[in-house]
Amino acid sequence: MTDWRLRRASVEDAPAVALVACASFLTTFAGILDGADIVAHVAKNSAPTTFAAWVGDPDSVVTLAEHRTGAAPVGYSVLTTPNLPVDTDSGDIELRRIYTLPGAQGTGLGHALMHQAITDALAMGRTRLLLGVLGRNARARAFYERQGFDVVGQRQYRVGSALCDDVIYARPL
């Protein structure tokens, strides 16, 4: 039996999702990116208002993973309108975020979040799932490739003073 459960996030969950977003980004990129840049990045991009907006958007789905005992947040995913430098159409949706806290890694939670994202995308009538991942994040890239994703592009973006190179993946649904 798993120690977590998944559910669709509500506006009231936005602070909890933001907390996981900040903590998971920090633990994922500590030692890769400058600490001050990470803090500034998550303050700007992972605020509760950001998640509340996605929850309220009919073209987005935010899934929250909670620990079964006490309902502490341990992971999340966000499906939303694509914002990637590749050709898209109305059948596309972006898996903008999918993260788990370190204590939940290796439990199958990542696979469960991916399965839920695919299920939700299909229910929305989507035909292709897109995502971007830091090119040097070998662990995440291997996970996505095992899930049937193929490289379809690249992008660059800034996290503070660091210029990051992402790989863009796609998977038909």
Side-chain angles (χ1 to χ4, degrees):
M1 183 172 178
T2 59
D3 287 335
W4 41 262
R5 63 177 170 244
L6 302 181
R7 67 176 177 83
R8 180 136 334 163
S10 68
V11 171
E12 292 78 21
D13 296 316
V17 180
L19 179 65
V20 175
C22 294
S24 58
F25 194 89
L26 175 63
T27 59
T28 299
F29 296 106
I32 297 172
L33 300 172
D34 180 75
D37 288 346
I38 292 171
V39 171
H41 181 81
V42 297
K44 177 182 174 190
N45 296 296
S46 295
T49 54
T50 300
F51 291 99
W54 277 324
V55 167
D57 179 354
D59 293 323
S60 299
V61 175
V62 179
T63 299
L64 177 62
E66 297 175 319
H67 197 280
R68 283 197 186 276
T69 305
V74 295
Y76 75 102
S77 66
V78 176
L79 284 172
T80 193
T81 304
N83 182 20
L84 296 165
V86 296
D87 290 334
T88 61
D89 64 35
S90 62
D92 292 335
I93 193 158
E94 181 181 351
L95 181 58
R96 180 81 48 94
R97 306 220 185 136
I98 181 169
Y99 283 99
T100 63
L101 292 178
Q105 292 174 353
T107 67
L109 179 54
H111 290 283
L113 283 165
M114 181 62 74
H115 176 76
Q116 187 63 53
I118 290 168
T119 299
D120 289 336
L122 286 168
M124 296 168 79
R126 303 309 174 101
T127 58
R128 186 170 74 151
L129 186 58
L130 300 164
L131 62 87
V133 61
L134 185 64
R136 57 186 165 165
N137 188 340
R139 181 177 177 190
R141 291 187 65 181
F143 173 77
Y144 298 132
E145 289 167 9
R146 285 191 307 273
Q147 299 292 318
F149 286 86
D150 293 309
V151 175
V152 295
Q154 298 177 6
R155 72 172 167 190
Q156 289 188 318
Y157 68 96
R158 287 206 168 275
V159 175
S161 61
L163 186 60
C164 300
D165 294 308
D166 265 7
V167 175
I168 300 169
Y169 280 100
R171 176 204 155 139
L173 299 175

